[in-house]
Amino acid sequence: MSEEKSIRAFLAVDPPREILDAIAMIQDRVRKVIQGDIRWVKPAGIHLTLKFFGNITESDVANISLVVKNITSNIAPLTLGINRVGAFPDVKRPRVLWLGMDGDVDTLIRLQKKVDAELYNYGFEKEDRTFRPHLTLARIKDSRGLIGLAKIMEKSEDYAAGSFSAAGLNLLKSDLTPKGAV
């Protein structure tokens, strides 16, 4: 009996190239202000994650595809704007620096909840954290000694990357490397 090969995967919206280019310019501006133990996400790897699966099998891919197709078949493309900088879990203990979203965010949140609930029927765990749509700019390894975050947060509204039409979801494979996920 052969064992099914597994892949590390997640469901996401990929911003178009022009948005990623604008995000790269925002990262360059932020890098000039903020200093510390930070690992920047490469713009090509920036995406809006709706659900992280961890390791899944090929049969899981078929089930995920079916669920997503059924849920999204009657949903019009969503307009999403990239409009501000924030930090998780908060500014006092930052671990993730992100760009927030506006536009059809309420519809996106309902879509994520429905996808999460339907995938539960196929054995996937429900997400225990509240879905907060964002694009990760950087991961802060150690917030001690971090300089410039307050200045970035003061000018958060100056970090807009435009808006785009999200017309589909992608199931993406993620490979872990010593330099981060690819």
Side-chain angles (χ1 to χ4, degrees), residues 9 32 48 53 64 77 81-82 107 120 125 128 136 138 145 148 163 179:
K32 291 176 183 170
L48 168 61
F53 296 103
I64 293 165
I82 313 304
T107 304
Y120 180 75
E125 289 187 32
D128 56 356
T136 300
S163 61
K179 293 187 177 191

Side-chain angles (χ1 to χ4, degrees), residues 39-110:
R39 187 176 71 219
W40 296 92
V41 177
K42 291 179 182 166
I46 292 176
H47 54 271
L48 168 61
T49 301
L50 269 70
K51 178 136 183 94
F52 177 75
F53 296 103
N55 289 328
I56 62 172
T57 64
E58 288 182 25
S59 59
D60 290 330
V61 170
N63 290 333
I64 293 165
S65 298
L66 179 66
V67 166
V68 170
K69 182 179 177 184
N70 289 339
I71 291 172
T72 60
S73 63
N74 294 318
I75 296 177
L78 304 179
T79 299
L80 300 172
I82 313 304
N83 65 356
R84 70 187 182 290
V85 174
F88 289 141
D90 56 49
V91 178
K92 292 178 181 156
R93 300 170 294 133
R95 302 299 292 157
V96 174
L97 188 64
W98 50 260
L99 287 171
M101 309 187 97
D102 64 11
D104 295 328
V105 172
D106 291 339
T107 304
L108 179 67
I109 290 169
R110 286 191 301 273

Side-chain angles (χ1 to χ4, degrees), residues 146-158:
L146 191 64
I147 299 169
L149 183 60
K151 188 172 183 180
I152 295 295
M153 299 310 289
E154 287 171 13
K155 297 184 182 272
S156 180
E157 69 278 355
D158 294 340

Side-chain angles (χ1 to χ4, degrees), residues 51 53 63-64 67 115-124:
K51 178 136 183 94
F53 296 103
N63 290 333
I64 293 165
V67 166
V115 167
D116 200 38
E118 289 295 319
L119 287 170
Y120 180 75
N121 296 328
Y122 287 90
F124 294 101

